[in-house]
Amino acid sequence: MDDFLISPATMASLDPDNPAAGATSSLKAGGRLPLARRRLASATLGLALAGLPVLALAGGNSNAAVGGIGNASANAAAGANASSAVLAAANPAGDAKPTERNISDWLMRMHEASRNRAYLGVFVVSSSSSMASAKIWHVCDGEQQIERVENLTGAPRSTFRRNDEVITFHPESKTALAEKRESMGLFPNLLKTQNSSIEQFYAARQTGVERVAGFEADVVQLVPKDGLRFGYRVWSEKKSGLVVKLQTLDTDGRVLEQAAFSELQLDANVSASKLTQMMGATEGYKVERPDLVKTTALAEGWMLKTPVAGFRPMSCYKRVVVKGDGPQAESAMQWIFSDGLASVSLFAEIFDRQRHLKEGLAGTGATQSLTYRLTEKAADKTIDWWLTAVGEVPAQTLTSFVQGLERKK
């Protein structure tokens, strides 16, 4: 999902109402955490597709970004970033039978299109309860992927991404959040390995051709093979393969969230040097750089006793959580999983009665969050933990993760 349509970072810059933000608001590092919310596109195809799922327009300082610590999204985004999609190639002969493609073929085609094309457009993400839009500039300069996202709804906010470097400007508060968003390493490398499991859990089929933002697009349906993940309907521009629209579908096939270009200019004259210059224009802003430490769940004392089918651990981070107004602080862990399309973030921190008020499930659009209090009984003491699972997956998937998470014996 890192580069499909819009990166998880990009996607995460769009959604002001994602429940993930509330679920992890205690993680006061001022940034979005990777896989939890890619939704500018965080619709949700998850990490593997360049963040389309992330395209859910994740909100400003929400700490739950599906897809990388710092946002996601973004990107999901995009991709997510937002937050991701599935598309077919054009039929050059016109009357010849279209080439049959499997899901890996579709995803790789879309990924390559996003990496090799310059474009600008207006992107809209909507669900039953909210809508957000942004103007997006994207350009490739050799190995450099550079993007600019300007929110058109909600508080003014500009997000720039150059590969794994992301900076978000908040003009009203004159603050800028600078982050490093590590690539998930899933896509497209996952598709190139013999260990790829995407085809075990999803099937792809082309269902037709439709116009989106003035372009003809192949419509591809990604169908999950179990109840642990959502399905997707993807519109891919026929000539290039670029994802121009994405819907996230629940287990009954109903649309949970939609991300699409309302305006799009392919091969636009986007200047990489100008975007890079704007990205570095921090004069007059207070630049905040969240301190994130790469770690492992085992090193933090956690393990998943029962794996959730298809989901692999991708990365793990810890960050400082400030308690109240005092100097006291604890570390919070974020453990990120993905099946190649969908992603889940697990957060664990010491229970705080003042901040952690209610256990339960919350959701909006495709993003679900589940909070749970876990009591650890040691030989001479009892420790209460607050667990949060966030992802663009069905509630039962988050329940499986939370129930399987336990302290190392």
Side-chain angles (χ1 to χ4, degrees):
M1 289 222 12
D2 291 322
D3 305 295
F4 247 11
L5 178 36
I6 300 169
S7 68
T10 296
M11 306 190 101
S13 64
L14 297 175
D15 179 11
D17 299 317
N18 196 314
T24 57
S25 60
S26 59
L27 300 178
K28 295 192 175 180
R32 288 164 290 284
L33 295 172
L35 284 156
R37 282 174 68 178
R38 303 160 293 162
R39 302 188 36 201
L40 169 57
S42 194
T44 309
L45 255 172
L47 296 174
L49 294 180
L52 265 189
V54 196
L55 289 183
L57 300 186
N61 278 329
S62 107
N63 281 316
V66 181
I69 283 210
N71 184 347
S73 201
N75 21 224
N81 189 128
S83 330
S84 308
V86 172
L87 270 335
N91 176 10
D95 55 354
K97 183 178 179 180
T99 301
E100 292 293 331
R101 296 176 181 270
N102 61 30
I103 187 170
S104 295
D105 295 334
W106 286 118
L107 298 182
M108 187 62 71
R109 182 172 188 262
M110 292 185 289
H111 170 76
E112 291 302 322
S114 71
R115 291 185 57 84
N116 298 322
R117 303 297 290 268
Y119 55 83
L120 66 84
V122 174
F123 200 77
V124 180
V125 174
S126 60
S127 67
S128 60
S129 60
S130 64
M131 184 189 77
S133 62
K135 188 169 184 179
I136 297 164
W137 294 256
H138 176 94
V139 65
C140 308
D141 184 10
E143 293 298 314
Q144 299 283 316
Q145 298 284 316
I146 305 173
E147 292 175 346
R148 173 190 175 191
V149 181
E150 290 283 342
N151 278 31
L152 301 179
T153 52
R157 184 169 65 249
S158 302
T159 299
F160 293 83
R161 177 181 74 97
R162 183 177 58 222
N163 290 351
D164 63 349
E165 300 176 38
V166 179
I167 186 165
T168 301
F169 293 89
H170 299 270
E172 292 183 337
S173 62
K174 288 296 181 181
T175 58
L177 176 66
E179 305 168 280
K180 281 275 191 179
R181 295 201 181 130
E182 175 183 299
S183 170
M184 298 307 297
L186 237 192
F187 187 88
N189 294 334
L190 179 70
L191 301 179
K192 297 178 179 179
T193 68
Q194 294 181 349
N195 295 325
S196 173
S197 61
I198 288 181
E199 294 188 16
Q200 296 179 31
F201 299 100
Y202 296 91
R205 64 170 183 264
Q206 185 174 352
T207 61
V209 176
E210 296 180 6
R211 278 170 56 82
V212 177
F215 293 89
E216 284 207 340
D218 294 311
V219 185
V220 178
Q221 188 128 353
L222 300 182
V223 183
K225 296 182 179 180
D226 60 23
L228 294 176
R229 48 215 105 224
F230 290 139
Y232 307 95
R233 188 178 294 123
V234 184
W235 285 254
S236 174
E237 199 270 321
K238 284 186 70 69
K239 293 182 179 179
S240 67
L242 185 73
V243 175
V244 293
K245 181 177 177 179
L246 170 70
Q247 291 178 341
T248 303
L249 312 176
D250 69 11
T251 53
D252 295 319
R254 294 172 297 200
V255 178
L256 291 171
E257 187 171 271
Q258 175 173 291
F261 280 105
S262 60
E263 300 176 17
L264 176 62
Q265 181 181 342
L266 288 177
D267 299 320
N269 184 21
V270 180
S271 171
S273 60
K274 184 176 180 180
L275 292 186
T276 299
Q277 183 180 15
M278 295 174 69
M279 185 175 182
T282 58
E283 184 176 354
Y285 281 80
K286 178 184 177 182
V287 180
E288 300 175 349
R289 302 180 186 277
D291 291 327
L292 301 173
V293 179
K294 194 164 186 178
T295 184
T296 65
L298 200 59
E300 301 304 313
W302 293 97
M303 61 183 294
L304 197 65
K305 62 181 179 182
T306 306
V308 180
F311 286 88
R312 300 182 187 181
M314 302 305 301
S315 58
C316 187
Y317 295 85
K318 65 179 178 180
R319 65 200 314 169
V320 172
V321 177
V322 179
K323 300 179 69 176
D325 297 325
Q328 203 172 13
E330 299 284 354
S331 63
M333 179 195 74
Q334 183 191 19
W335 196 4
I336 303 162
F337 294 79
S338 178
D339 69 355
L341 293 182
S343 60
V344 172
S345 279
L346 299 180
F347 302 90
E349 58 185 311
I350 295 294
F351 175 74
D352 184 334
R353 193 175 301 276
Q354 294 183 338
R355 294 183 295 114
H356 304 143
L357 304 178
K358 186 178 180 180
E359 297 176 274
L361 181 70
T364 183
T367 301
Q368 306 290 314
S369 65
L370 178 63
T371 52
Y372 176 72
R373 183 176 175 180
L374 174 69
T375 299
E376 176 188 5
K377 294 183 179 179
D380 57 347
K381 61 180 179 179
T382 297
I383 302 174
D384 285 329
W385 295 90
W386 188 252
L387 308 180
T388 303
V390 186
E392 292 191 335
V393 293
Q396 71 179 79
T397 308
L398 298 184
T399 300
S400 297
F401 271 104
V402 169
Q403 290 180 344
L405 191 62
E406 65 177 21
R407 294 294 289 168
K408 182 178 62 176
K409 297 294 190 292

